[in-house]
């Protein structure tokens, strides 16, 4: 824990309430013992009664209640608006509250192994803190620009050449940039500082000298991501950098709060009327075609952050996964068609993230509404993370189009790594996790991995998961091939009953049809449209026309026209074809 003098006290009651509300949000809080060290234990801040108490849910952490009963002092620690926030030392030796299982937990009892009971929920009530503490001026902290925030970076290379890119994150010591693919050879083996200028929408510009720390080509986004360290920073530049970092952090927090935020927009990201702003690049185009896409992108953001934690040696954070699984199910229950449509527009997310979300939604939709709530949540959570272990594989292996025995033996390790990295996830049904996350790559003939399970040894949920996983993977573009047409995918799976359960393949076809929601289709009058809904026969019943030019000529942004249905839709003629993923991704800005 950082030294005390690095923190400032927060005593204003309204500010304390706001920060506690932040600790109960998506990033969560951890419990850190006052005596001792180590990583804080994740807990859920369930309830805040201003001036009276706060209540923690400690059900997922075995044995924690026994330590709390001993009266040991602890702090709640978490990140609010990118800054470490903590309570003073708290003690509550008699704060335990045990609650009966919910109806959902009782309904899950049938799926448990014999002899297992239904766990009670353990809550712990603590006194309401009269102050909080926040860490200030962390030089290593990087303020990350969220979608909707744009800033230009210009590298001035030899012979007057300029590389224009987008700012990803910023600290007082350095920054990360997205640069065009042509930057890779320019940055290789470059040890001398280069002039770097940052530009913001309000006209603020800052010139610095920077040294390349690292760079890598991202094949999915077709960009170079590069890290830079600032050198020779003067006093004025240092003050300006602190101001910029705080403004980026403040605006990111406002965007994260969504429509309920009471913060005014940061002037740094507002372009004054009549003034031409900086040449903004890729991030300016990262707009959301629908509100649901924006909401779904927050779940994608959680999965991306979780993947980065795995790369850095961390674990799957059970309480956060629980919240995001609940959130994803709430979005699906609110607007099933809207979520299916939004999935097609998350093309800038990494493959494990995009694929995990797609499999989670498609699988729960395929199973329909016959499952208890807690079982649905375990299925969705397991599917969301089933491919995250692949981020631990070496990059050359992840990008290898074909596998020999040696590559395959290394590939299968990602399943075991994921199982080992689960932390505080006791709420996930073990049988569901095994079928959905661990057996999703098994095949009926035993040719799958990691265990080569076959036929009757494969659970029904694993058979359904394998069909959904294969269809979503075959629809995506890979380094060695273009995406498959959906009709060809269906035919391939039906022609291989030795590998895939044909009953689940046929059920998938009946459920989603040849033109699933989110497909880009061409009608016989040559017009294009995005499928928003299907009728009982699996034919498009609502379509959003695509404005603009044919796919080969459109700019890299979603071009949305009017929504048509009924007679207007019928006037377009028959649906002739569904455009391939390559064409669709050009249109939506992949």
């Amino acid at each position: 824990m950082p030294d005390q003098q690095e923190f400032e006290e927060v005593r204003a009651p309204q500010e304390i309430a706001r920060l506690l509300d932040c600790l109960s949000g998506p990033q969560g809080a951890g419990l850190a013992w006052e005596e001792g060290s180590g990583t804080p234990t994740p807990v859920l801040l369930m309830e805040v009664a201003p001036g009276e108490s706060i209540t923690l849910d400690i059900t997922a952490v075995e044995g924690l209640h026994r330590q709390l009963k001993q009266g040991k002092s602890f702090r709640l620690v978490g990140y609010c608006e990118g800054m470490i926030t903590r309570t003073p030392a708290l003690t509550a030796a008699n704060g335990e509250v045990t609650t009966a299982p919910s109806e959902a937990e009782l309904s899950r009892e049938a799926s448990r192994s014999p002899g297992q009971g239904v766990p009670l929920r353990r809550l712990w009530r603590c006194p309401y803190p009269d102050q909080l503490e926040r860490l200030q001026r962390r030089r290593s902290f990087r303020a990350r620009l969220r979608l909707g925030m744009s800033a230009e970076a210009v590298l001035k290379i030899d012979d007057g050449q300029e590389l224009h890119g987008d700012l990803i994150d910023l600290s007082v010591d350095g920054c990360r940039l997205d640069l065009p693919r042509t930057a890779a050879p320019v940055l290789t083996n470059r040890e001398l500082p280069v002039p770097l200028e940052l530009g913001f929408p309000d006209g603020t510009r800052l010139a610095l000298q920077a040294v390349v720390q690292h760079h890598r080509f991202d094949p999915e986004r077709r960009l170079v991501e590069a890290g830079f360290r600032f050198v020779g920073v003067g006093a004025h530049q240092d003050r300006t950098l602190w101001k910029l970092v705080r403004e980026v952090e403040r605006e990111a927090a406002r965007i994260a709060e969504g429509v309920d935020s009471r913060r005014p927009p940061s002037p740094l990201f507002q372009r004054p009327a009549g003034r031409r702003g900086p040449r903004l690049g890729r991030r300016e185009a990262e707009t959301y075609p629908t509100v649901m896409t924006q909401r779904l992108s927050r779940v994608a953001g959680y999965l991306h952050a979780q993947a980065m934690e795995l790369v850095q040696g961390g674990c799957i954070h059970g309480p956060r996964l629980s919240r995001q699984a609940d959130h994803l199910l709430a979005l699906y229950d609110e607007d099933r068609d809207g979520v299916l449509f939004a999935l097609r527009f998350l093309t800038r997310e990494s493959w494990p993230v995009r694929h995990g979300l797609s499999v989670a939604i498609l699988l729960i939709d395929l199973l329909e509404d016959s499952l208890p709530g807690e079982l649905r949540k375990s299925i969705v959570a397991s599917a969301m993370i089933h491919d995250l272990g692949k981020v631990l594989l070496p990059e050359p292996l992840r990008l290898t189009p074909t596998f020999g025995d040696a590559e395959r033996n290394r590939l299968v390790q990602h399943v075991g790594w994921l199982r080992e990295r689960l932390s505080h996830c006791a709420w996930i049904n073990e049988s569901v996790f095994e079928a959905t996350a661990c057996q999703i790559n098994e095949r009926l003939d035993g040719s799958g991995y990691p265990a080569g399970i076959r036929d009757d040894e494969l659970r029904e949920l694993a058979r359904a998961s394998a069909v959904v996983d294969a269809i979503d993977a075959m629809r995506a573009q890979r380094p060695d091939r273009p995406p498959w047409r959906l009709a060809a995918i269906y035919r391939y799976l039906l022609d291989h009953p030795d590998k895939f359960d044909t009953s689940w393949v046929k059920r998938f076809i009946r459920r989603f049809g040849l033109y699933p929601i989110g497909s880009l289709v061409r009608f016989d009058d040559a017009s294009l449209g995005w499928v928003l809904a299907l009728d009982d026969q699996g034919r498009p019943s609502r379509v959003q026309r695509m404005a603009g030019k044919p796919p080969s000529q459109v700019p890299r942004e979603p071009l949305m026209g009017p929504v048509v249905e009924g007679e207007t839709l019928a006037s377009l003629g028959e649906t002739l074809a569904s455009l391939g993923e390559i064409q669709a991704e050009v249109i939506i800005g992949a």
Side-chain angles (χ1 to χ4, degrees):
M1 188 67 65
D3 294 335
Q4 179 69 30
Q5 64 265 23
E6 294 181 45
F7 286 83
E8 70 171 6
E9 294 182 353
V10 177
R11 292 185 173 274
Q14 290 183 337
E15 188 69 358
I16 292 174
R18 187 180 68 79
L19 293 176
L20 287 175
D21 182 67
C22 178
L23 289 178
S24 66
Q27 289 189 317
L31 185 149
W33 299 112
E34 185 68 1
E35 295 182 3
S37 59
T39 304
T41 302
V43 295
L44 295 176
L45 180 53
M46 296 293 295
E47 182 180 351
V48 176
E52 298 179 8
S53 64
I54 58 176
T55 302
L56 311 177
D57 187 337
I58 59 172
T59 308
V61 186
E62 185 67 25
L64 183 57
H65 69 288
R66 289 192 290 271
Q67 294 175 282
L68 290 169
K69 277 185 175 180
Q70 297 172 6
K72 297 175 64 175
S73 297
F74 63 92
R75 296 175 185 262
L76 287 185
V77 182
Y79 283 88
C80 291
E81 303 161 2
M83 301 177 68
I84 295 177
T85 301
R86 70 183 188 186
T87 67
L90 302 173
T91 304
N94 298 309
E96 185 174 15
V97 180
T98 303
T99 66
S102 65
E103 292 183 6
E105 288 166 330
L106 289 172
S107 68
R108 188 173 54 177
E109 186 176 8
S111 64
R112 294 180 176 273
S113 302
Q116 285 187 302
V118 179
L120 298 178
R121 295 182 67 197
R122 293 189 182 277
L123 308 182
W124 200 271
R125 190 167 293 131
C126 315
Y128 189 88
D130 57 1
Q131 69 178 57
L132 294 177
E133 299 169 355
R134 304 198 77 186
L135 184 63
Q136 298 298 304
R137 285 182 66 89
R138 290 167 294 129
R139 298 195 67 88
S140 61
F141 169 70
R142 289 188 177 274
R144 184 175 178 87
L145 279 71
R146 297 178 65 95
L147 292 178
M149 301 166 62
S150 298
E152 179 196 33
V154 182
L155 285 173
K156 299 181 179 180
I157 313 298
D158 308 328
D159 302 325
Q161 179 185 2
E162 291 187 350
L163 288 174
H164 289 258
D166 296 308
L167 184 65
I168 301 175
D169 60 34
L170 179 66
S171 76
V172 177
D173 293 328
C175 65
R176 284 192 304 150
L177 307 178
D178 274 347
L179 295 167
R181 69 185 74 184
T182 54
V186 176
L187 300 179
T188 301
N189 299 324
R190 180 173 290 272
E191 299 179 358
L192 296 177
V194 296
L196 168 64
E197 186 175 54
L198 303 178
F200 293 84
D202 73 336
T204 297
R205 304 194 76 83
L206 177 63
L208 299 151
Q209 293 287 315
V211 175
V212 181
Q213 294 291 97
H214 58 82
H215 71 278
R216 72 178 187 90
F217 178 65
D218 186 332
E220 293 193 34
R221 297 190 301 149
R222 297 179 287 280
L223 289 171
V224 172
E225 183 181 291
F228 294 85
R229 176 173 55 85
F230 301 141
V231 295
V233 177
H236 172 72
Q237 292 169 313
D238 184 74
R239 287 192 297 270
T240 303
L241 281 168
W242 276 113
K243 176 183 176 181
L244 293 175
V245 170
R246 287 196 299 269
E247 283 302 302
V248 170
E249 182 181 4
R250 185 177 295 115
E251 181 67 4
R254 185 188 71 83
I255 292 174
E257 292 170 358
V259 295
D260 297 327
S261 177
R262 298 182 180 180
R263 304 167 187 263
S266 168
L268 186 66
F269 295 95
Q270 303 300 307
R271 184 172 296 170
R275 178 189 295 177
R276 185 177 180 180
R279 260 182 63 190
L280 300 178
R282 184 177 180 84
R283 288 182 174 273
E284 190 171 65
E286 290 185 331
T287 55
Y288 299 105
T290 68
V291 173
M292 184 59 76
T293 311
Q294 181 176 12
R295 297 168 72 184
L296 194 61
S297 72
R298 295 176 184 172
V299 185
Y302 151 75
L303 287 175
H304 176 75
Q306 180 63 82
M308 293 302 99
E309 286 188 33
L310 292 180
V311 171
Q312 295 167 11
C315 296
I316 299 292
H317 190 284
R320 293 177 192 167
L321 177 60
S322 174
R323 282 199 196 97
Q324 296 300 326
D326 282 334
H327 184 51
L328 186 59
L329 277 170
L331 294 178
Y332 170 80
D333 292 337
E334 175 188 330
D335 185 0
R336 177 251 186 189
D337 290 355
V339 169
L340 288 172
F341 185 71
L343 286 172
R344 309 310 301 165
F345 294 92
L346 295 178
T347 55
R348 291 188 179 90
E349 302 299 338
S350 65
W351 169 247
V353 170
R354 186 169 75 243
H355 181 54
L357 286 176
S358 293
V359 171
I361 291 300
L362 293 174
L363 180 58
I364 207 67
D365 194 73
L366 181 64
L367 299 172
E368 300 183 59
D369 303 322
S370 58
L371 300 171
E374 291 299 309
L375 202 57
R376 292 173 79 222
K377 178 177 176 179
S378 288
I379 292 171
V380 164
S382 300
M384 286 168 64
I385 63 174
H386 83 274
D387 246 8
L388 282 193
K390 287 184 177 179
V391 302
L392 302 174
L393 295 168
E395 186 170 349
L397 182 62
R398 296 201 306 269
L399 299 178
T400 299
T402 56
F403 296 96
D405 291 339
E407 290 83 5
R408 179 184 172 86
N409 290 337
R410 297 182 69 188
L411 172 69
V412 302
Q413 292 178 300
H414 79 86
V415 179
W417 288 338
L418 179 66
R419 189 187 286 116
E420 294 169 0
R421 297 293 186 96
L422 292 177
S423 176
H424 308 302
C425 291
W427 55 270
I428 295 182
N429 183 291
E430 289 186 20
S431 177
V432 167
F433 179 80
E434 186 67 23
T436 306
C438 302
Q439 295 182 6
I440 197 168
N441 295 297
E442 301 286 2
R443 298 293 180 258
L444 297 177
D445 62 357
S447 63
Y449 71 84
I453 301 174
R454 51 192 305 139
D455 291 333
D456 294 339
E457 297 176 353
L458 275 176
R459 304 172 190 182
E460 199 69 21
L461 180 56
R463 295 164 179 252
S465 300
V467 168
V468 172
D469 178 73
I471 292 174
D472 190 69
M474 294 171 77
R475 291 184 73 189
Q477 184 178 4
R478 281 187 8 182
D480 61 326
R481 61 153 176 82
W484 286 44
R485 300 268 184 174
L486 197 54
I489 296 174
Y490 290 160
R491 176 49 52 197
Y492 176 86
L493 267 60
L494 290 172
D495 286 345
H496 289 79
D498 56 325
K499 297 182 182 295
F500 299 97
D501 189 322
T502 55
S503 64
W504 282 109
V505 177
K506 292 175 181 178
R507 186 168 173 175
F508 190 100
I509 296 172
R510 289 194 299 270
R511 184 68 173 168
F512 300 105
L514 283 173
Y515 309 109
I517 292 173
S519 299
L520 180 62
V521 296
R522 176 181 284 116
F523 296 92
D524 60 9
D525 72 343
S527 63
L528 302 174
W530 304 97
V531 178
L532 298 176
L534 302 174
D535 61 19
D536 294 339
Q537 285 73 45
R539 296 173 304 194
S541 60
R542 291 180 65 240
V543 170
Q544 184 146 27
R545 297 285 299 275
M546 196 186 79
K549 303 174 183 179
S552 61
Q553 304 175 41
V554 297
R556 300 172 67 83
E557 60 182 9
L559 299 176
M560 299 299 190
V563 174
V564 295
E565 54 189 322
E567 294 182 0
T568 306
L569 177 58
S571 69
L572 302 180
E574 292 296 320
T575 305
L576 295 181
S578 176
L579 273 68
E581 291 284 310
I582 294 179
Q583 292 168 293
E585 288 190 359
V586 168
I587 293 169
I588 61 180

